Amino acid sequence: MLHAGVGPKSMAKIPKSVDIAMDKATSSKATLQQGFSIRNGPMEEMEIDGPGTEDVRTNGVPRHKRKSRENMTNGKSYKEASSGADEDDKPVSKRRRTSTKKARAEPESDSDDAPLVSKILHSNGTVVMKKPPKAGETAIGESEDSDTPLGLKLTKEKAKFEKRAEKEAKAIRKEEKTALSAASKRKIKKEDTDDEEPSSKKKRQSNGTASAVKKAPNGLNKDESDEDDAPLASKVSKKVTKAKVKTETSTPAKKVSKGKAKVETEQDLEAEEEEEQYRWWEDPTKGDGTIKWTTLEHGGVVFPPPYEPLPKSVKLRYDGVPVTLSPEAEEVAGFFGGMLNSTLNVENPTFQKNFFDDFKAILKETGGAKDREGNKVTIKEFTKCDFKPIFEYFDAQRAEKKALPSAEKKRLKAEKDAAEAPYQFCMWDGRKQKVGNFRVEPPSLFRGRGEHPKTGHVKKRVQPEQITINIGKEAQVPIPPEGHRWKEVKHDQEGTWLAMWQENINGAYKYVMLAANSDVKGQSDHKKFEKARELKKHIDIIRQDYEKELKSGIMADRQRATAVYLIDKFALRAGNEKGDDEADTVGCCSLKFEHVSLKPPNTVVFDFLGKDSIRFYDEVVVDPQVFKNLRLFKKEPKAEGDEIFDRLTTSGLNKHLSGYMTGLTAKVFRTYNASWTMANLLRDMKATGSVAEQLKLYNDANREVAILCNHKRTVTAGHEAQMGKLGDRVKGLKYQKWRLKHMMLDLDQKEKKKRGAEYFELDKDLDQEWIKDHQNYLVEEQRQKIEKKFAKDNEKLVADGGRVMKQKELEERLEAADELAQKFKKENKSGKVEAEGKGATIEKFGNNIAKVEQRIETMSFQVADKENNKEVALGTSKINYIDPRLTVVFSKKFNVPIEKLFSKTLREKFDWAIKSVDESWEF
C-alpha cells in the first residue's frame, strides 16, 4: 500500500485522449478466450547478472535483476520433503502410520501460491524457466484423444457457470421480492384479525402473557409461518429440519450392554442426550452478536518440559576441539545438531546464516564457549562447527524410543494423557468444549514455508510472563508455573480465544482456541459459507458494475474495477488481508510494477511472492479492456518498486464491496467461486459404477475447482518414488492373479481349452526379472511379519508374568518363509503353480480372481488420481473453500460413504454439515 509521504503517481482522472490513444495502440486480436490460464508453454530464458556484478549472489545462488525478489533466493525448495502431503484427505484407516513427532513436523505446503515454475541454472549464465507438465497430465475426465486444452475447457465451463449464476441471482431476488410482498399482506391481515378477536380468546401462559409462538423441540422459539420470509443465509431444508429434529428428540437414552457394569449416572445420560440433540446451526440466537460467551472456565496451557543438558561426553566441536557451552547456548546448538538429517534445511545457506547469527548472539550473552582447560574459545566461523556428536546422541535417543516395547509406549502415552486431561476441555457457557491447541510451542529453529527469509532463526522459549489468559470473571484463574506469573488476565467476552502470546520470529500473535469440532469453530465455518451463499443473489450486479467501471474516467474507480475483476476471475488474494492465522500477503491490491508483465494482445504474467513467501507464477488471458488498464496503470513515471494499484487499498476495496451486502470482502469471492463451481459440477454429474469410480469423479470435480482457484502446490520430492511403489503394488496384484489362474490349471488342465490360452498368459507389465525381485520381497515381508509377531507374543507373555519363548521357536516359525522361497524357486523352474488352500475348487479360484481384479481396478484409479493431483492442492479447496455440505450431498446422492471423502478430523470439524443437509440441498 501507499507509504507515508508518498502520493500516487497515476493521474486522478483519465483524459479521453489517453483512452483513445491507447485503444489505437492496442491490438484487438485476442487469440484466446478471456479467463484462460496459460500455465504450460515453451521454455523461456531469463537473463541474470554476469559474474562481475557486485552482490551477484544471495546465499551463494545467482540472483535475479529485479530488486523486489531479494528473498526469492533460488529455484530449489528447502522445505522439508514430505511423502505424505495428501494424507489428510484420506480416511484414517487408509493413512500410513507415523509417529506423533513426525505428524507435527512442518507440513508440505498446500498454499494457493505454490510455485509452478522451477529454475535451472545453465553453465552459460542463463536461468531456464521450466514450466510444469502439460495439461494432459492433469486432465479432468477427458479422453486421451481430446485436442482441446484443459485450461480452455475449464474456462468455457466457468463461463457457463457464470451465466447460470446470473440467471439464478435474478431468480432469487424475484422470489424474495414475492415472498416479502406476501409476508406484508399476511401481516396486515393478521393485525386486522387481532383487532377483531376478543381478548378472552387469546391463549395465555402461566405468567399471564399471551403465547404467540410455539416451542421447538430444542427449546427455541420457532414460528413456522415465517419460514418463507427467512433470508437465504438462514434457510435450511424444511424436510431435514422437521424429520431430523423429530428423530433426535424421540431417540431413547443409550442402553447399557448386559455384560458391562452401569457406570454412567442419570445426569451423564441426560448430558449425553442434550449433547446429541443440541443443533446450534438451527438456533437463530447463535448469530453474530458481539458477546461470544457468558461464562468461561479452562485450565490454561501446557508448557514444554525444561531443557535437559547433554551428557558431559557429548560436546559441540569447534575446529576439532570439544567445547563447553552454557545450558542456553547448548540448547540452541542442539536444535541444529538434532536435525542434521533434514538436509533441505541445514544445507540451506539462509537457514545456516540465520541460525549462526542467533547462536553467536546467545554465546555473547551467556559467556561464550570454553575448552576442557577452561580457556575461552571464540566461535566465529560456521564451517568450523561440528554438530555431529550432538546429532548422534539425539539419533540414538530416537532409536531407543522407537524400540520401546508397545506396552511401555502405551504406559507413557497414558501418563501423558492423564497429565494433559485438565487442559483438553473447557466449560463454555456451561457446555463442555474441546480445546484445540493447548500446548505452548517448544523452542526450536524456525523453518517457515517456501523460501522464507527468516528460516533458521531461533524460536525462543515462551515464558508465562508473555501469556495473557482470557477467562470468565467468576472462574478460577489457572495457576502459572511456580515462580512465575501471567502477563495479564482478561475477561474478553467478545473474544473466542483462551490464551495468547506473541512469538519472536514474525511478531505474530498465537492463540489457544477451541477445537475444530467445537460449536464456536463450527459456527465460524457455517457463517463463512453462508456468507458465500448470500453472495449468490448479488454476484450478477457486482459483475455488471465492475465491467462498466473498467472504462471509468476516474482512475481510482478504474483501478478498483480491475482489481475486483482479477480477484473474481483468477482467485487472486486481495493482498495485505490478514486472517487469524495468516501473515501479511502480497496480493492484487499490493502488486508492484515488476510483479506484472504484459504480452500483447491480452496475456498477463503474474510473478510475485505470495502467501507464506511462496512464489506465485501464472500467465492468464484477460479481457482486452483489463489488459489496456494494466498498461495504463504501469505507464510512466511508474517504475520498479511502484504500486500498480496506487489509488486503491484493501480496506477501501472491502468497504466498497460491503455496499453490495453486509460483510462482503474480497475473501468471500474465493469461497463463493469454489463452492459455486463445485455445486454446478455436482449438479451436472452422472456418477455411476463402483465407489472407486465415483470417488475419482468427485476428485476430478475437486481438482477442477482447485485449478480454477489457483490452489497449486509443488510436486513433492518423493512423488516419483511413491508412484513407483504404487505401480509395484498393482503389478503385485497382477502377479497374484496370474498365480490363481495357474492354480486352476493345476486342478483341471481342461480349463485352458475352455477359457483360451490367452487367459492364462502373463500380463505384459510383468517380466521374469521383476517377478524374481517381487518373490524375494514377499519372502522378506513374511520373515518380518513372523519376527514382529514373535516379539509381540513375548511382550504379552512378559506382561502376563509368563516366560519368554526361546530363539528356537522363532527359527521354527521362520521355516514358513524358507518354504515359500523354495516354492517360488520350483515354480520358476517348472512354470507350474500348485493349488493352495483347503478344499480348493475352480469356483473358489474364480471368486478370488474376481476379488483381485476389483482391487486392481480400485488401485489403478488411485494411481491415476495421485498422478493427476501431484500439482493440485485438493485439501486447500476441500477444507477451506468448498462448502462441506456439497461433499455431504455427493455422499448421500451417490451412496459413497462419507468416510471415503472426509477423514476423521474433517468429519468432526464438519459434523454440522453432515447432520444438517440431505441430498436435495443446494448451495
Side-chain angles (χ1 to χ4, degrees):
M1 295 308 159
L2 298 178
H3 298 289
V6 180
K9 289 187 177 181
S10 60
M11 58 189 86
K13 291 187 178 181
I14 306 164
K16 287 186 178 179
S17 57
V18 172
D19 255 339
I20 294 168
M22 292 192 76
D23 283 335
K24 288 179 180 178
T26 303
S27 169
S28 61
K29 294 179 181 179
T31 56
L32 290 169
Q33 184 177 346
Q34 60 163 304
F36 182 55
S37 174
I38 311 171
R39 296 191 180 93
N40 309 291
M43 301 283 277
E44 295 177 1
E45 292 192 352
M46 179 181 287
E47 293 182 4
I48 60 171
D49 296 330
T53 311
E54 285 186 16
D55 196 24
V56 68
R57 291 172 176 266
T58 303
N59 302 327
V61 181
R63 192 181 61 180
H64 289 215
K65 283 182 178 179
R66 295 180 178 177
K67 296 176 183 177
S68 66
R69 297 192 194 158
E70 289 178 358
N71 53 354
M72 199 183 300
T73 56
N74 51 43
K76 180 180 176 184
S77 171
Y78 289 103
K79 212 165 27 176
E80 179 108 59
S82 170
S83 62
D86 52 353
E87 288 290 312
D88 288 343
D89 300 329
K90 295 182 182 178
V92 174
S93 61
K94 300 291 182 184
R95 293 189 196 175
R96 292 176 291 103
R97 292 186 180 180
T98 54
S99 65
T100 308
K101 186 166 183 177
K102 185 173 179 180
R104 291 180 63 190
E106 195 69 23
E108 182 68 25
S109 172
D110 267 4
S111 171
D112 308 353
D113 306 321
L116 306 182
V117 190
S118 58
K119 291 176 273 184
I120 304 171
L121 181 64
H122 281 193
S123 57
N124 61 1
T126 61
V127 173
V128 175
M129 307 301 290
K130 185 180 178 184
K131 300 295 189 295
K134 292 181 180 179
E137 294 186 30
T138 53
I140 298 174
E142 61 179 341
S143 59
E144 290 180 7
D145 57 348
S146 174
D147 295 325
T148 310
L150 175 63
L152 190 56
K153 278 187 175 183
L154 300 186
T155 304
K156 287 179 178 178
E157 212 159 33
K158 189 176 180 183
K160 181 180 77 174
F161 295 159
E162 285 179 1
K163 286 181 181 178
R164 193 180 284 177
E166 182 181 352
K167 187 177 178 182
E168 186 154 333
K170 289 176 180 175
I172 291 171
R173 289 199 299 273
K174 185 178 179 182
E175 186 182 338
E176 286 191 349
K177 189 176 180 181
T178 305
L180 189 65
S181 176
S184 180
K185 288 177 181 177
R186 282 201 303 271
K187 188 177 179 182
I188 293 169
K189 188 175 179 180
K190 190 174 182 234
E191 285 175 354
D192 292 342
T193 307
D194 288 345
D195 289 340
E196 293 171 6
E197 185 181 0
S199 59
S200 59
K201 289 186 178 181
K202 291 182 183 178
K203 289 184 180 179
R204 290 189 174 271
Q205 294 179 339
S206 57
N207 61 358
T209 58
S211 177
V213 291
K214 196 175 181 179
K215 281 257 180 171
N218 59 0
L220 306 172
N221 291 332
K222 181 178 180 182
D223 189 348
E224 292 184 358
S225 66
D226 288 339
E227 193 173 71
D228 293 338
D229 305 329
L232 177 67
S234 63
K235 284 184 182 177
V236 182
S237 172
K238 194 172 182 179
K239 180 181 174 183
V240 177
T241 305
K242 287 184 177 180
K244 291 272 185 182
V245 173
K246 186 176 179 180
T247 303
E248 298 225 359
T249 51
S250 60
T251 302
K254 291 184 179 178
K255 293 181 180 179
V256 181
S257 60
K258 293 180 181 179
K260 293 182 181 179
K262 185 173 179 180
V263 180
E264 294 143 305
T265 63
E266 190 174 337
Q267 290 83 354
D268 289 333
L269 292 173
E270 286 177 6
E272 188 176 335
E273 190 174 0
E274 180 192 355
E275 186 73 29
E276 289 176 358
Q277 291 182 357
Y278 183 64
R279 303 165 68 85
W280 54 259
W281 53 91
E282 295 171 8
D283 186 347
T285 65
K286 296 295 180 185
D288 188 29
T290 52
I291 302 297
K292 300 295 189 298
W293 52 267
T294 307
T295 60
L296 175 60
E297 301 174 48
H298 61 85
V301 294
V302 173
F303 288 93
Y307 174 65
E308 292 184 13
L310 296 170
K312 292 183 179 180
S313 59
V314 180
K315 302 282 186 184
L316 167 72
R317 292 195 188 106
Y318 184 73
D319 203 12
V321 178
V323 293
T324 301
L325 307 172
S326 67
E328 294 83 3
E330 184 183 81
E331 183 179 25
V332 173
F335 296 156
F336 192 92
M339 59 187 293
L340 289 186
N341 56 341
S342 178
T343 54
L344 290 176
N345 287 294
V346 297
E347 291 180 5
N348 177 358
T350 306
F351 190 93
Q352 292 176 356
K353 181 183 180 300
N354 290 339
F355 157 73
F356 197 55
D357 286 346
D358 286 358
F359 183 49
K360 286 190 295 182
I362 290 169
L363 283 171
K364 190 176 179 181
E365 292 171 7
T366 57
K370 294 178 182 179
D371 62 17
R372 287 175 180 173
E373 285 73 37
N375 300 317
K376 191 171 183 180
V377 178
T378 305
I379 296 178
K380 290 182 178 180
E381 297 179 38
F382 173 77
T383 53
K384 291 183 179 180
C385 294
D386 182 6
F387 298 90
K388 196 174 179 182
I390 298 175
F391 171 75
E392 288 172 348
Y393 170 74
F394 284 126
D395 199 40
Q397 277 201 323
R398 284 190 285 261
E400 189 180 324
K401 189 175 180 182
K402 191 176 180 181
L404 284 174
S406 62
E408 180 65 12
K409 287 178 181 177
K410 287 178 182 177
R411 186 187 66 78
L412 292 172
K413 186 180 183 301
E415 286 180 3
K416 182 172 177 281
D417 290 344
E420 292 181 348
Y423 306 92
Q424 291 180 349
F425 294 90
C426 72
M427 293 301 293
W428 184 289
D429 282 347
R431 292 180 59 80
K432 191 177 182 180
Q433 302 281 353
K434 193 171 183 180
V435 180
N437 52 337
F438 53 83
R439 300 179 188 89
V440 176
E441 289 181 336
S444 62
L445 297 184
F446 175 70
R447 300 188 188 189
R449 297 171 70 184
E451 306 301 322
H452 204 292
K454 293 186 178 180
T455 185
H457 276 301
V458 175
K459 285 167 63 177
K460 295 179 181 177
R461 186 177 292 272
V462 177
Q463 300 295 340
E465 285 75 11
Q466 297 170 252
I467 296 177
T468 299
I469 298 292
N470 190 28
I471 199 165
K473 286 183 180 179
E474 306 302 322
Q476 182 180 344
V477 177
I479 301 170
E482 192 175 347
H484 293 274
R485 58 180 178 79
W486 301 120
K487 178 183 178 181
E488 190 179 355
V489 176
K490 286 190 173 183
H491 313 291
D492 181 9
Q493 293 175 287
E494 295 180 14
T496 57
W497 54 278
L498 310 184
M500 62 172 279
W501 63 89
Q502 191 174 19
E503 53 88 28
N504 66 292
I505 301 292
N506 298 304
Y509 285 94
K510 300 284 185 177
Y511 294 89
V512 173
M513 311 287 281
L514 297 189
N517 61 337
S518 65
D519 296 347
V520 175
K521 282 285 188 180
Q523 288 164 24
S524 176
D525 285 338
H526 182 263
K527 177 187 169 187
K528 177 177 80 171
F529 291 114
E530 282 300 309
K531 186 64 67 178
R533 286 184 78 208
E534 192 180 347
L535 179 55
K536 270 204 316 181
K537 64 182 177 184
H538 304 286
I539 191 67
D540 62 324
I541 295 173
I542 293 171
R543 285 172 176 164
Q544 287 168 16
D545 286 355
Y546 75 60
E547 283 171 8
K548 184 180 177 182
E549 287 190 336
L550 288 174
K551 298 181 180 180
S552 172
I554 310 293
M555 179 63 80
D557 292 350
R558 193 179 289 202
Q559 286 190 3
R560 184 180 64 213
T562 305
V564 177
Y565 171 93
L566 295 175
I567 288 165
D568 182 26
K569 299 288 185 184
F570 303 108
L572 262 64
R573 296 179 181 277
N576 285 357
E577 192 172 11
K578 192 176 181 183
D580 292 336
D581 57 351
E582 297 177 349
D584 287 343
T585 60
V586 174
C588 188
C589 297
S590 52
L591 286 170
K592 295 187 184 296
F593 183 94
E594 60 272 20
H595 295 153
V596 176
S597 302
L598 304 173
K599 291 182 181 180
N602 60 335
T603 298
V604 180
V605 181
F606 294 106
D607 192 351
F608 57 89
L609 283 182
K611 184 182 177 184
D612 298 317
S613 300
I614 293 176
R615 187 184 185 193
F616 176 92
Y617 180 95
D618 201 4
E619 297 183 25
V620 297
V621 178
V622 299
D623 182 281
Q625 181 63 39
V626 172
F627 186 83
K628 171 187 162 183
N629 289 350
L630 290 171
R631 283 184 60 215
L632 178 64
F633 303 160
K634 291 189 70 175
K635 200 174 179 184
E636 291 182 349
K638 285 188 182 179
E640 286 196 14
D642 291 329
E643 293 186 350
I644 289 177
F645 297 98
D646 58 350
R647 292 184 178 272
L648 180 67
T649 62
T650 305
S651 57
L653 174 64
N654 287 336
K655 187 176 181 182
H656 167 74
L657 292 173
S658 66
Y660 291 99
M661 82 181 218
T662 306
L664 178 60
T665 67
K667 259 186 196 180
V668 182
F669 282 88
R670 294 171 69 82
T671 310
Y672 163 77
N673 279 319
S675 296
W676 177 249
T677 302
M678 189 67 168
N680 280 275
L681 290 170
L682 293 182
R683 187 187 298 179
D684 299 340
M685 189 181 289
K686 301 288 186 288
T688 55
S690 65
V691 171
E693 289 175 282
Q694 291 173 329
L695 279 173
K696 188 175 184 301
L697 285 172
Y698 172 84
N699 285 337
D700 286 345
N702 190 357
R703 187 181 306 113
E704 186 164 337
V705 172
I707 292 171
L708 289 173
C709 295
N710 286 320
H711 296 153
K712 305 291 287 182
R713 69 177 179 191
T714 50
V715 180
T716 61
H719 175 76
E720 291 302 323
Q722 289 176 52
M723 294 304 295
K725 287 179 181 178
L726 283 173
D728 283 341
R729 286 176 66 188
V730 174
K731 283 183 177 181
L733 289 170
K734 289 179 178 179
Y735 174 65
Q736 184 182 343
K737 183 174 74 170
W738 177 84
R739 289 188 79 243
L740 288 167
K741 287 178 179 180
H742 278 257
M743 288 178 195
M744 282 182 169
L745 289 179
D746 186 52
L747 291 180
D748 188 356
Q749 284 290 330
K750 292 178 183 178
E751 287 293 318
K752 193 167 188 177
K753 188 176 180 180
K754 184 179 177 182
R755 298 175 186 265
E758 191 178 339
Y759 179 79
F760 297 94
E761 287 180 3
L762 193 66
D763 196 281
K764 292 178 181 179
D765 290 348
L766 309 179
D767 56 56
Q768 290 303 320
E769 187 180 349
W770 183 90
I771 287 173
K772 286 181 180 178
D773 288 340
H774 183 64
Q775 288 171 345
N776 292 335
Y777 166 79
L778 292 175
V779 171
E780 184 58 32
E781 184 182 46
Q782 188 168 6
R783 286 184 185 279
Q784 290 179 6
K785 284 180 179 178
I786 291 168
E787 288 171 352
K788 285 181 180 177
K789 179 73 167 55
F790 179 78
K792 196 171 183 180
D793 289 346
N794 266 339
E795 283 178 23
K796 192 174 181 182
L797 286 169
V798 171
D800 295 341
R803 294 175 62 184
V804 296
M805 293 179 287
K806 294 181 180 179
Q807 187 68 17
K808 189 178 179 181
E809 173 68 21
L810 175 60
E811 290 170 2
E812 288 175 0
R813 293 188 184 188
L814 286 172
E815 286 176 5
D818 296 332
E819 289 171 7
L820 181 63
Q822 289 301 317
K823 182 188 287 187
F824 285 143
K825 191 175 180 180
K826 185 179 178 182
E827 288 176 5
N828 294 339
K829 190 175 181 179
S830 65
K832 295 179 181 179
V833 182
E834 293 181 5
E836 296 173 353
K838 293 180 180 179
T841 63
I842 298 294
E843 186 181 357
K844 280 185 179 180
F845 286 136
N847 291 336
N848 289 340
I849 288 168
K851 289 176 183 177
V852 173
E853 284 176 339
Q854 182 62 46
R855 289 177 65 192
I856 291 170
E857 182 186 6
T858 300
M859 194 164 288
S860 297
F861 278 122
Q862 291 173 354
V863 170
D865 229 17
K866 192 170 186 66
E867 178 62 25
N868 289 341
N869 294 339
K870 66 182 179 182
E871 287 189 302
V872 183
L874 295 187
T876 304
S877 303
K878 184 161 71 174
I879 297 170
N880 299 317
Y881 295 104
I882 295 174
D883 193 315
R885 289 170 290 190
L886 291 169
T887 300
V888 177
V889 168
F890 174 86
S891 169
K892 294 182 178 179
K893 186 176 180 181
F894 299 111
N895 295 316
V896 176
I898 195 68
E899 292 80 8
K900 298 282 186 183
L901 301 164
F902 283 155
S903 64
K904 183 182 177 183
T905 303
L906 291 183
R907 292 198 301 275
E908 290 176 353
K909 177 181 173 69
F910 296 134
D911 181 63
W912 60 271
I914 295 169
K915 291 179 178 176
S916 65
V917 299
D918 65 4
E919 64 182 56
S920 64
W921 183 86
E922 290 188 0
F923 175 75

